[in-house]
Amino acid sequence: MVGDAISHSVLPGIVIAYLVGSQTQSSLVLIGAAIFGVLTTIIIDFLYRKLKLQEDASIGLTFTWLFAFGVLLISFFAQGNVDLDQECVLFGELGLAFLDKIIIDGRLYGTKSIATLLPAFLLVLMFVVRGFKGFQLNAFQAEFAQTKGIKTGFWHFALMGMVSVVTVLSFESVGAILVVGFLVVPPATAYLLVNDLKRLHIFSLCIATLNILMGYFLALKLNVSISPTIITVSGVVFFLTFVFKTTKFRLFNSPRIPVK
Amino acid sequence: MISSTLLLVLFGLAVISSVAGVVGCYAFLRKRTLIGDAVSHAVLPGVAIGFMLSGTKDPIALLLGGLFFGYISIISIDLIHRKSKLSEDTAIAIVTTVYFALGSVLLSVVSSMENGQQAGLKNFLFGKVATLTELDIWVFSFAAIVVLVAVVLFFKPFSLISFNKDFAAAQGWKTNNYETLISVLTVLVITIGLQAVGVVLMSALLIAPAAAARYWTNSLPKMMIISALFGILSGVGGGLLSLVGEDMPTGPWVVMILFFFTMLTLLFAPKKGYFAIRRRTQSNERKINEENVLKILHQLGEMGKEEASIGEMLDKRRMDTTVLLKTIKTLKKEGFIEVKDSKKIRLTENGKIEAMRVVRLHRLWELYLTQQLKFKEDHIHGTAETIEHLITDELEEALLKELDYPDMDPHAKKIPY
């Protein structure tokens, strides 16, 4: 839930970065978002521990406030700025992403979002494969991991760091609210089907890819915004999977042991 | 400047934000505010479908559409959470984003429709109070009155459920039905607030006023009234500020004001605010320090030293020197000690009585622990150090009776009377 809050509340950081930098510089945006991400956790913690406000309200208050602040910044300073408007914040501009081309010597080398997101993808992939054991232990049995001498704090922050980086980089394409859907819905769908963590990764990846392809072409066909369509399709896939599972249809005969 | 339209719009805002404040109290007390956030995102498809079916921006169609999808979203969260191994967090995240996405898709369909552009459904995202029509305001006010009447009628079961659901069930209330009713009312409030505050920030109007009101009172009816007032203040204030700019959304302004008031409250509220609590702990700390210093002087007196220097006192008990000096100053002001020319400190008559009281309580408690509770002698000093500052006159009397007015403590020291 805190992740959800952070994806909303980094907005002011991103807006300020956009305003300070003359053009959309990913590194500046990342720094701005990181500052506000940390600020969010500090404010939540301050409200909860120092001011004794109950936890759900602390989270809810903090991210709505920071998000509102970001929207106000946009409506004050970003008028007429094509890269940033109120709707872009919500839905992203996936349809326009391919317009931002990288052209060197008159040759097309791909788009800017590919240039930032592909390295991020490879980095995350490498990190997850290399650190699989650490993430696994930390996710399932943090206390056990500690007794084995594994620094769970490191893995926790590594995970949070990756989530933040991916969130911020995807922000431009899919917007602040829907990015949570991209993060949560595919793995949740996969989680309904399998219990093994490795399979979960692979299933989640496949489901996400499938959702994106279906959503993308559906959006083009219906002439509607792309990223909301992808999430809607993901939701339908999740719903079907859910109905499948709850009506006792079993895939791979995996024993259904609730894993917390 | 003040036209009748402006007054009407402000009146509408006041009505909307005051019921949000009232119903928000239940969401806050039941710790369900994050579900409120999910629901407020999830009513978006309802708004779009309401528009599609009615063809115009008809407030009743919007209300029904919003109500339907809001309620479906609550059921969805509950179903996913109960019927699968996914946690409630995950269920909330899925429902929020998927319904919101569906709503966005439908909105983009609507805006490609013939009369979709002028409907200004975009304003449902961050709210735009200027788009409220007279009809909107009357419909929303009517809905708000329905909500208020329901809260008054079902005040008792609602409150019981919010504070202690099991107790409510044990009393024979049908808790499930009433919980559903609370959910429906919450969804209704969210829907009527959409146009003014927007889907994204509507949850703040539920959470913040209730959270702030909680710091001012312990009584639920009072909390609701205060919460409603906070709501009105922020709603109307935010509405006015947003009307200043041409392309200003209302929601963010309302949230900024809400947050401002909530922070003020959390910091400065009497009794429960941050500074009030800090003042209380500090005054307790001061009292404990004073009593400890008096005790040192008494103990030195027992060893035959009527007067003591700072150094001698620090030898007797480890204390922060600056704290000791400060405490000595206040004790002197209160007339419990006097400082001689030789910089030596001695107890006054009043000081002696007070010091005896503290030492007596300490030793009585040690005796009680060993005699009545059979504690070992080397285990008793620590708790006595703490409790000597807390024992009331009544308790002292009871201890004395229980121990039959003893002379000696377990360490064979005299108990002073």
Side-chain angles (χ1 to χ4, degrees), chain B residues 347-366:
Chain B
L347 288 165
T348 61
E349 281 312 304
N350 271 343
K352 275 181 190 156
I353 295 169
E354 182 64 14
M356 270 159 65
R357 187 184 69 84
V358 180
V359 174
R360 183 165 69 237
L361 292 177
H362 182 101
R363 293 181 181 167
L364 273 176
W365 185 253
E366 288 190 335

PDB file of all heavy atoms in Angstrom, chain B residues 347-366:
ATOM      1  N   LEU B 347      17.463  21.040  52.805  1.00  0.00           N
ATOM      2  CA  LEU B 347      16.005  20.989  52.694  1.00  0.00           C
ATOM      3  C   LEU B 347      15.369  21.994  53.638  1.00  0.00           C
ATOM      4  O   LEU B 347      15.841  22.181  54.754  1.00  0.00           O
ATOM      5  CB  LEU B 347      15.502  19.594  53.054  1.00  0.00           C
ATOM      6  CG  LEU B 347      15.788  18.474  52.047  1.00  0.00           C
ATOM      7  CD1 LEU B 347      15.559  17.119  52.702  1.00  0.00           C
ATOM      8  CD2 LEU B 347      14.902  18.614  50.829  1.00  0.00           C
ATOM      9  N   THR B 348      14.293  22.640  53.228  1.00  0.00           N
ATOM     10  CA  THR B 348      13.493  23.450  54.145  1.00  0.00           C
ATOM     11  C   THR B 348      12.532  22.511  54.884  1.00  0.00           C
ATOM     12  O   THR B 348      12.491  21.305  54.597  1.00  0.00           O
ATOM     13  CB  THR B 348      12.661  24.478  53.370  1.00  0.00           C
ATOM     14  OG1 THR B 348      11.794  23.764  52.495  1.00  0.00           O
ATOM     15  CG2 THR B 348      13.545  25.408  52.563  1.00  0.00           C
ATOM     16  N   GLU B 349      11.723  23.074  55.788  1.00  0.00           N
ATOM     17  CA  GLU B 349      10.761  22.221  56.517  1.00  0.00           C
ATOM     18  C   GLU B 349       9.799  21.552  55.539  1.00  0.00           C
ATOM     19  O   GLU B 349       9.556  20.348  55.598  1.00  0.00           O
ATOM     20  CB  GLU B 349       9.987  23.059  57.550  1.00  0.00           C
ATOM     21  CG  GLU B 349      10.769  23.336  58.822  1.00  0.00           C
ATOM     22  CD  GLU B 349      11.426  22.091  59.416  1.00  0.00           C
ATOM     23  OE1 GLU B 349      10.690  21.112  59.673  1.00  0.00           O
ATOM     24  OE2 GLU B 349      12.670  22.081  59.602  1.00  0.00           O
ATOM     25  N   ASN B 350       9.267  22.376  54.610  1.00  0.00           N
ATOM     26  CA  ASN B 350       8.366  21.832  53.584  1.00  0.00           C
ATOM     27  C   ASN B 350       9.052  20.761  52.763  1.00  0.00           C
ATOM     28  O   ASN B 350       8.475  19.717  52.444  1.00  0.00           O
ATOM     29  CB  ASN B 350       7.915  22.948  52.630  1.00  0.00           C
ATOM     30  CG  ASN B 350       6.665  23.609  53.134  1.00  0.00           C
ATOM     31  OD1 ASN B 350       5.985  23.044  53.992  1.00  0.00           O
ATOM     32  ND2 ASN B 350       6.387  24.795  52.626  1.00  0.00           N
ATOM     33  N   GLY B 351      10.314  21.029  52.419  1.00  0.00           N
ATOM     34  CA  GLY B 351      11.087  20.095  51.614  1.00  0.00           C
ATOM     35  C   GLY B 351      11.257  18.777  52.333  1.00  0.00           C
ATOM     36  O   GLY B 351      11.166  17.701  51.725  1.00  0.00           O
ATOM     37  N   LYS B 352      11.494  18.877  53.643  1.00  0.00           N
ATOM     38  CA  LYS B 352      11.676  17.644  54.420  1.00  0.00           C
ATOM     39  C   LYS B 352      10.424  16.776  54.357  1.00  0.00           C
ATOM     40  O   LYS B 352      10.502  15.556  54.180  1.00  0.00           O
ATOM     41  CB  LYS B 352      12.018  17.984  55.877  1.00  0.00           C
ATOM     42  CG  LYS B 352      13.494  18.222  56.071  1.00  0.00           C
ATOM     43  CD  LYS B 352      13.811  18.526  57.528  1.00  0.00           C
ATOM     44  CE  LYS B 352      15.254  19.008  57.624  1.00  0.00           C
ATOM     45  NZ  LYS B 352      15.479  19.829  58.807  1.00  0.00           N
ATOM     46  N   ILE B 353       9.260  17.433  54.513  1.00  0.00           N
ATOM     47  CA  ILE B 353       7.999  16.674  54.483  1.00  0.00           C
ATOM     48  C   ILE B 353       7.817  15.986  53.137  1.00  0.00           C
ATOM     49  O   ILE B 353       7.500  14.796  53.066  1.00  0.00           O
ATOM     50  CB  ILE B 353       6.807  17.617  54.779  1.00  0.00           C
ATOM     51  CG1 ILE B 353       6.915  18.136  56.213  1.00  0.00           C
ATOM     52  CG2 ILE B 353       5.478  16.903  54.552  1.00  0.00           C
ATOM     53  CD1 ILE B 353       5.959  19.266  56.526  1.00  0.00           C
ATOM     54  N   GLU B 354       8.079  16.751  52.074  1.00  0.00           N
ATOM     55  CA  GLU B 354       7.896  16.210  50.720  1.00  0.00           C
ATOM     56  C   GLU B 354       8.890  15.074  50.448  1.00  0.00           C
ATOM     57  O   GLU B 354       8.528  14.039  49.901  1.00  0.00           O
ATOM     58  CB  GLU B 354       8.054  17.353  49.703  1.00  0.00           C
ATOM     59  CG  GLU B 354       7.846  16.991  48.256  1.00  0.00           C
ATOM     60  CD  GLU B 354       6.434  16.529  47.943  1.00  0.00           C
ATOM     61  OE1 GLU B 354       5.531  16.740  48.777  1.00  0.00           O
ATOM     62  OE2 GLU B 354       6.240  15.933  46.860  1.00  0.00           O
ATOM     63  N   ALA B 355      10.135  15.271  50.877  1.00  0.00           N
ATOM     64  CA  ALA B 355      11.159  14.256  50.652  1.00  0.00           C
ATOM     65  C   ALA B 355      10.808  12.973  51.403  1.00  0.00           C
ATOM     66  O   ALA B 355      10.944  11.857  50.877  1.00  0.00           O
ATOM     67  CB  ALA B 355      12.515  14.766  51.097  1.00  0.00           C
ATOM     68  N   MET B 356      10.310  13.168  52.641  1.00  0.00           N
ATOM     69  CA  MET B 356       9.925  11.997  53.435  1.00  0.00           C
ATOM     70  C   MET B 356       8.829  11.212  52.742  1.00  0.00           C
ATOM     71  O   MET B 356       8.819   9.982  52.743  1.00  0.00           O
ATOM     72  CB  MET B 356       9.465  12.433  54.824  1.00  0.00           C
ATOM     73  CG  MET B 356      10.586  12.489  55.845  1.00  0.00           C
ATOM     74  SD  MET B 356      10.171  13.540  57.241  1.00  0.00           S
ATOM     75  CE  MET B 356       8.801  12.646  57.966  1.00  0.00           C
ATOM     76  N   ARG B 357       7.901  11.962  52.132  1.00  0.00           N
ATOM     77  CA  ARG B 357       6.794  11.289  51.460  1.00  0.00           C
ATOM     78  C   ARG B 357       7.315  10.376  50.332  1.00  0.00           C
ATOM     79  O   ARG B 357       6.936   9.203  50.239  1.00  0.00           O
ATOM     80  CB  ARG B 357       5.830  12.334  50.873  1.00  0.00           C
ATOM     81  CG  ARG B 357       4.564  11.748  50.290  1.00  0.00           C
ATOM     82  CD  ARG B 357       3.710  12.819  49.631  1.00  0.00           C
ATOM     83  NE  ARG B 357       4.328  13.354  48.422  1.00  0.00           N
ATOM     84  CZ  ARG B 357       4.215  12.774  47.231  1.00  0.00           C
ATOM     85  NH1 ARG B 357       3.503  11.684  47.098  1.00  0.00           N
ATOM     86  NH2 ARG B 357       4.814  13.291  46.184  1.00  0.00           N
ATOM     87  N   VAL B 358       8.239  10.916  49.539  1.00  0.00           N
ATOM     88  CA  VAL B 358       8.737  10.133  48.404  1.00  0.00           C
ATOM     89  C   VAL B 358       9.499   8.902  48.897  1.00  0.00           C
ATOM     90  O   VAL B 358       9.293   7.785  48.417  1.00  0.00           O
ATOM     91  CB  VAL B 358       9.636  11.002  47.506  1.00  0.00           C
ATOM     92  CG1 VAL B 358      10.148  10.195  46.326  1.00  0.00           C
ATOM     93  CG2 VAL B 358       8.882  12.220  47.022  1.00  0.00           C
ATOM     94  N   VAL B 359      10.382   9.134  49.873  1.00  0.00           N
ATOM     95  CA  VAL B 359      11.174   8.018  50.395  1.00  0.00           C
ATOM     96  C   VAL B 359      10.262   6.967  51.040  1.00  0.00           C
ATOM     97  O   VAL B 359      10.451   5.755  50.866  1.00  0.00           O
ATOM     98  CB  VAL B 359      12.206   8.537  51.416  1.00  0.00           C
ATOM     99  CG1 VAL B 359      12.940   7.388  52.073  1.00  0.00           C
ATOM    100  CG2 VAL B 359      13.192   9.466  50.725  1.00  0.00           C
ATOM    101  N   ARG B 360       9.237   7.479  51.746  1.00  0.00           N
ATOM    102  CA  ARG B 360       8.292   6.565  52.399  1.00  0.00           C
ATOM    103  C   ARG B 360       7.624   5.675  51.361  1.00  0.00           C
ATOM    104  O   ARG B 360       7.545   4.458  51.528  1.00  0.00           O
ATOM    105  CB  ARG B 360       7.252   7.392  53.158  1.00  0.00           C
ATOM    106  CG  ARG B 360       6.247   6.572  53.942  1.00  0.00           C
ATOM    107  CD  ARG B 360       5.512   7.445  54.915  1.00  0.00           C
ATOM    108  NE  ARG B 360       4.614   8.392  54.250  1.00  0.00           N
ATOM    109  CZ  ARG B 360       4.658   9.717  54.382  1.00  0.00           C
ATOM    110  NH1 ARG B 360       5.552  10.265  55.179  1.00  0.00           N
ATOM    111  NH2 ARG B 360       3.821  10.498  53.742  1.00  0.00           N
ATOM    112  N   LEU B 361       7.146   6.296  50.273  1.00  0.00           N
ATOM    113  CA  LEU B 361       6.461   5.518  49.238  1.00  0.00           C
ATOM    114  C   LEU B 361       7.396   4.471  48.646  1.00  0.00           C
ATOM    115  O   LEU B 361       7.006   3.326  48.433  1.00  0.00           O
ATOM    116  CB  LEU B 361       5.945   6.445  48.127  1.00  0.00           C
ATOM    117  CG  LEU B 361       4.811   7.380  48.540  1.00  0.00           C
ATOM    118  CD1 LEU B 361       4.435   8.286  47.380  1.00  0.00           C
ATOM    119  CD2 LEU B 361       3.603   6.569  49.003  1.00  0.00           C
ATOM    120  N   HIS B 362       8.633   4.869  48.394  1.00  0.00           N
ATOM    121  CA  HIS B 362       9.614   3.950  47.825  1.00  0.00           C
ATOM    122  C   HIS B 362       9.781   2.740  48.746  1.00  0.00           C
ATOM    123  O   HIS B 362       9.696   1.594  48.324  1.00  0.00           O
ATOM    124  CB  HIS B 362      10.946   4.692  47.671  1.00  0.00           C
ATOM    125  CG  HIS B 362      12.038   3.868  47.051  1.00  0.00           C
ATOM    126  ND1 HIS B 362      12.394   3.992  45.741  1.00  0.00           N
ATOM    127  CD2 HIS B 362      12.835   2.893  47.570  1.00  0.00           C
ATOM    128  CE1 HIS B 362      13.368   3.134  45.465  1.00  0.00           C
ATOM    129  NE2 HIS B 362      13.659   2.461  46.572  1.00  0.00           N
ATOM    130  N   ARG B 363       9.969   3.020  50.010  1.00  0.00           N
ATOM    131  CA  ARG B 363      10.268   1.924  50.938  1.00  0.00           C
ATOM    132  C   ARG B 363       9.038   1.087  51.247  1.00  0.00           C
ATOM    133  O   ARG B 363       9.124  -0.129  51.420  1.00  0.00           O
ATOM    134  CB  ARG B 363      10.899   2.491  52.214  1.00  0.00           C
ATOM    135  CG  ARG B 363      12.275   3.057  51.868  1.00  0.00           C
ATOM    136  CD  ARG B 363      13.031   3.640  53.014  1.00  0.00           C
ATOM    137  NE  ARG B 363      14.309   4.153  52.484  1.00  0.00           N
ATOM    138  CZ  ARG B 363      15.115   4.942  53.150  1.00  0.00           C
ATOM    139  NH1 ARG B 363      14.818   5.315  54.386  1.00  0.00           N
ATOM    140  NH2 ARG B 363      16.244   5.349  52.605  1.00  0.00           N
ATOM    141  N   LEU B 364       7.875   1.746  51.307  1.00  0.00           N
ATOM    142  CA  LEU B 364       6.629   0.993  51.516  1.00  0.00           C
ATOM    143  C   LEU B 364       6.435   0.004  50.362  1.00  0.00           C
ATOM    144  O   LEU B 364       6.051  -1.159  50.567  1.00  0.00           O
ATOM    145  CB  LEU B 364       5.428   1.943  51.559  1.00  0.00           C
ATOM    146  CG  LEU B 364       5.066   2.572  52.882  1.00  0.00           C
ATOM    147  CD1 LEU B 364       3.923   3.551  52.696  1.00  0.00           C
ATOM    148  CD2 LEU B 364       4.715   1.512  53.904  1.00  0.00           C
ATOM    149  N   TRP B 365       6.673   0.477  49.179  1.00  0.00           N
ATOM    150  CA  TRP B 365       6.457  -0.382  48.005  1.00  0.00           C
ATOM    151  C   TRP B 365       7.419  -1.573  48.025  1.00  0.00           C
ATOM    152  O   TRP B 365       7.045  -2.700  47.733  1.00  0.00           O
ATOM    153  CB  TRP B 365       6.629   0.424  46.716  1.00  0.00           C
ATOM    154  CG  TRP B 365       6.292  -0.373  45.495  1.00  0.00           C
ATOM    155  CD1 TRP B 365       7.156  -0.872  44.592  1.00  0.00           C
ATOM    156  CD2 TRP B 365       4.990  -0.798  45.077  1.00  0.00           C
ATOM    157  NE1 TRP B 365       6.503  -1.580  43.622  1.00  0.00           N
ATOM    158  CE2 TRP B 365       5.158  -1.545  43.905  1.00  0.00           C
ATOM    159  CE3 TRP B 365       3.698  -0.621  45.592  1.00  0.00           C
ATOM    160  CZ2 TRP B 365       4.096  -2.116  43.215  1.00  0.00           C
ATOM    161  CZ3 TRP B 365       2.637  -1.179  44.902  1.00  0.00           C
ATOM    162  CH2 TRP B 365       2.839  -1.928  43.733  1.00  0.00           C
ATOM    163  N   GLU B 366       8.688  -1.293  48.412  1.00  0.00           N
ATOM    164  CA  GLU B 366       9.670  -2.386  48.488  1.00  0.00           C
ATOM    165  C   GLU B 366       9.217  -3.429  49.499  1.00  0.00           C
ATOM    166  O   GLU B 366       9.301  -4.632  49.262  1.00  0.00           O
ATOM    167  CB  GLU B 366      11.039  -1.832  48.884  1.00  0.00           C
ATOM    168  CG  GLU B 366      11.689  -1.053  47.753  1.00  0.00           C
ATOM    169  CD  GLU B 366      13.146  -0.702  48.039  1.00  0.00           C
ATOM    170  OE1 GLU B 366      13.518  -0.619  49.245  1.00  0.00           O
ATOM    171  OE2 GLU B 366      13.883  -0.506  47.092  1.00  0.00           O
TER     172      GLU B 366
END
